[in-house]
Amino acid sequence: MTDPRPHSAEASATAPQRGTVFAPLVGMLWRTLEFYGIPPQEIIPREIYRPGVGSGSPRRISLADYFQLLVQVAERVEDPAVGLRSAEMLHPSHLGALGHAFMASTTLREAIERGARYNRMLAENVRMEVAEEAGNLKVSYITDDSSRVTDPQADAQLASLLSLCRLNFGSRLKPLAVRMRRSPPEDPTPWTEVFGVPVEFAAEENCLVLGRQD
């Protein structure tokens, strides 16, 4: 039986999108384009985002506009690992007050639970769920049925979370497991390098598991 869920950027762009996204998140896309040597202003409209511009820019943009930007960035970059690279460009300030609250947390559990509680402030169509798995902490990203998730977006979600955790905990942090619904890439090496463990692709959920002691 074929999987009816579209994973391609094209499929995502044509799906109906509802809700809004925290506009400063576009800063991560801006820095990603700069990393690849692509002028960000060629893709990101001035009315949506410009670095250093405050009250003159909208604090929220439509989910449809944000997904369209994701599609355009992925098509322009043409790197299967672009989602992983974009996570490296994430700064806590792109998350507003939530980013600073995450970094101010005294434990990773506290930080992650704060993220789960307020994640819909960042993107209304995505929620984080925190659960116990064999005594360890599992963090899952779940997207509303009305939306579609591209492979780069799924990569960026989990890699961004791990990046924030490493800023708080230290670069040596490794998850016990990483599971993703997306199809396996031709070369999984970048995923293993970023997460520090082999990724289980074609899984039933998008999640990572952190050790209880961490």
Side-chain angles (χ1 to χ4, degrees):
M1 179 181 296
T2 58
D3 188 345
R5 296 167 300 171
H7 292 287
S8 69
E10 181 179 358
S12 177
T14 58
Q17 307 295 339
R18 300 180 179 89
T20 61
V21 172
F22 188 54
L25 278 175
V26 179
M28 182 171 67
L29 300 181
W30 185 281
R31 295 180 67 185
T32 299
L33 290 167
E34 289 183 328
F35 173 80
Y36 285 100
I38 300 171
Q41 58 271 23
E42 293 182 1
I43 295 177
I44 301 174
R46 177 175 294 275
E47 62 270 18
I48 287 182
Y49 179 84
R50 282 295 182 272
V53 177
S55 59
S57 295
R59 299 305 293 172
R60 305 198 70 82
I61 61 175
S62 74
L63 187 59
D65 285 345
Y66 183 70
F67 267 53
Q68 186 59 40
L69 287 177
L70 293 177
V71 171
Q72 290 178 312
V73 170
E75 290 177 345
R76 187 71 178 271
V77 170
E78 296 183 337
D79 179 2
V82 63
L84 301 178
R85 302 302 168 225
S86 69
E88 296 173 0
M89 304 297 115
L90 178 67
H91 188 273
S93 64
H94 295 148
L95 309 180
L98 179 56
H100 297 293
F102 195 102
M103 297 308 301
S105 301
T106 56
T107 67
L108 286 184
R109 177 182 288 274
E110 178 183 330
I112 290 169
E113 289 178 346
R114 283 177 172 173
R117 190 176 304 120
Y118 298 109
N119 188 72
R120 282 190 183 263
M121 295 174 58
L122 303 178
E124 291 181 302
N125 71 315
V126 180
R127 71 180 188 272
M128 288 174 60
E129 286 194 355
V130 181
E132 297 288 331
E133 181 177 282
N136 300 305
L137 194 70
K138 182 178 76 169
V139 189
S140 305
Y141 281 92
I142 301 173
T143 305
D144 293 347
D145 291 341
S146 61
S147 306
R148 297 293 184 267
V149 181
T150 65
D151 288 351
Q153 185 189 13
D155 295 338
Q157 285 175 341
L158 293 181
S160 293
L161 174 61
L162 184 58
S163 178
L164 287 172
C165 287
R166 284 171 172 163
L167 283 174
N168 188 304
F169 180 93
S171 60
R172 68 187 183 280
L173 177 67
K174 290 184 180 181
L176 297 179
V178 179
R179 298 191 283 268
M180 305 185 72
R181 299 177 70 189
R182 58 158 293 163
S183 57
E186 291 186 7
D187 178 10
T189 302
W191 284 259
T192 303
E193 291 176 346
V194 167
F195 291 106
V197 295
V199 176
E200 178 187 342
F201 297 103
E204 294 184 354
E205 58 185 340
N206 292 322
C207 72
L208 59 80
V209 181
L210 295 173
R212 180 185 183 89
Q213 70 280 5
D214 295 331

